[in-house]
Amino acid sequence: MSSLIRLNLRLSRVSNTVWMISVLTFLAIGPPAFEAYLPTSTERVAFVEQLNLGSAISVLYGPVYEPGTLGQLIMWEIAAFIMVIGAIWMIVYGTRIGRGDEESGGSEFVAALGYSGEHRTFAALSTIGILSLLTGAMATVILIGFGHQYDELPTEGAWSFGLYFALLLFTVGAIAVLFGQIMPTAGGARSMSLGILGLAFVFRGIASVNDDFEWLRWLSYLGWLDLVTPYTDNDLLVMVPLLVVALLIGAGAVYTSGRRDFAT
């Protein structure tokens, strides 16, 4: 199994490196940008008060938490962008590794070595898990580094976001792999995964402007950020049931892969 995981990582090392660098670079430009644009806490507080006067911003980026520390502003805007970019990355990669290789004929060579559908799917999920943990760890290191340079970026917030981001990437990848086992084609699986991303965005937007639908955050992996609230509450315990959900999705993908015909 470890050989199959190494093969997966090696075959996509260039594309995954480009995606990872893109996501982390976007995160790295956030603290200096906000520090240059809003250098004092007074300016940041006034900026947040102005943003909270309307709901359109909350629909696009999520809630703006007060008093508007540097960490909270990064989670409000920069995190919103890299969550979507990271989700698209995992949809593309999860669909390819979970189903696309079958359509291209690559999985036939792996199957000839004795790896069953469950083995290939488990290896795909393991590969996604490794990439997710690595990206989340690097995001944590970046934010901790900026915490030594700028105020209002405590280490607890860096850990909260890093763990959440790793969970987000794995969940999206697991969903893509699951649809790869359910849908007739890899293209169909990709479309369904992108549809789930769209729903996640809509659910978070609704919850951000209407308190009666606050529960929709639990149904949106983008909205999970508002449950963990890095740099505000840093509620790591919230991620326990969310991790269970992600693992169940992965288990469903493995189960389904062993009960369908090859390449159908």
Side-chain angles (χ1 to χ4, degrees):
M1 186 64 66
S2 60
S3 299
L4 189 53
I5 295 172
R6 289 196 301 272
L7 176 64
N8 290 338
L9 290 171
R10 187 168 66 252
L11 291 177
S12 301
R13 61 188 182 276
V14 176
S15 60
N16 284 331
T17 299
V18 171
W19 276 105
M20 191 180 300
I21 291 175
S22 300
V23 170
L24 296 175
T25 300
F26 208 102
L27 176 64
I29 66 176
F34 272 109
E35 184 68 18
Y37 179 62
L38 301 167
T40 67
S41 60
T42 302
E43 290 176 310
R44 290 193 283 270
V45 170
F47 178 69
V48 170
E49 290 177 351
Q50 186 178 23
L51 288 176
N52 285 330
L53 294 177
S55 59
I57 293 295
S58 296
V59 172
L60 291 175
Y61 297 103
V64 189
Y65 293 103
E66 297 181 354
T69 64
L70 184 59
Q72 289 173 329
L73 288 173
I74 292 170
M75 291 299 102
W76 164 69
E77 184 175 28
I78 303 301
F81 280 105
I82 69 171
M83 285 191 303
V84 174
I85 295 173
I88 294 173
W89 169 27
M90 283 296 124
I91 289 172
V92 172
Y93 183 64
T95 302
R96 190 192 71 75
I97 198 174
R99 183 60 185 272
D101 286 346
E102 286 189 16
E103 296 185 355
S104 66
S107 292
E108 294 183 22
F109 296 102
V110 177
L113 297 175
Y115 290 105
S116 64
E118 292 100 322
H119 287 142
R120 296 192 302 274
T121 304
F122 184 81
L125 291 168
S126 299
T127 306
I128 290 171
I130 291 171
L131 292 172
S132 300
L133 287 173
L134 180 59
T135 307
M138 294 179 70
T140 301
V141 170
I142 290 172
L143 291 173
I144 289 176
F146 279 118
H148 295 297
Q149 184 177 358
Y150 301 112
D151 294 332
E152 302 177 348
L153 287 175
T155 302
E156 294 83 358
W159 278 107
S160 297
F161 178 73
L163 290 172
Y164 158 74
F165 194 44
L167 176 61
L168 165 74
L169 294 176
F170 178 76
T171 302
V172 177
I175 291 173
V177 173
L178 175 61
F179 279 127
Q181 311 308 313
I182 296 174
M183 300 302 294
T185 64
R190 192 178 302 110
S191 297
M192 289 296 295
S193 299
L194 288 171
I196 294 297
L197 174 59
L199 281 177
F201 186 87
V202 171
F203 286 168
R204 189 192 187 206
I206 294 173
S208 297
V209 298
N210 193 328
D211 293 338
D212 293 336
F213 292 94
E214 191 72 24
W215 56 272
L216 284 176
R217 297 193 195 281
W218 291 93
L219 303 180
S220 166
Y221 47 67
L222 299 178
W224 292 353
L225 177 72
D226 307 320
L227 301 176
V228 179
T229 56
Y231 294 106
T232 302
D233 296 326
N234 300 310
D235 192 354
L236 299 180
L237 291 179
V238 170
M239 287 191 284
V240 175
L242 303 180
L243 176 60
V244 172
V245 171
L247 293 176
L248 288 175
I249 293 172
V254 173
Y255 177 85
T256 306
S257 66
R259 285 153 183 81
R260 68 174 181 84
D261 293 330
F262 184 76
T264 62

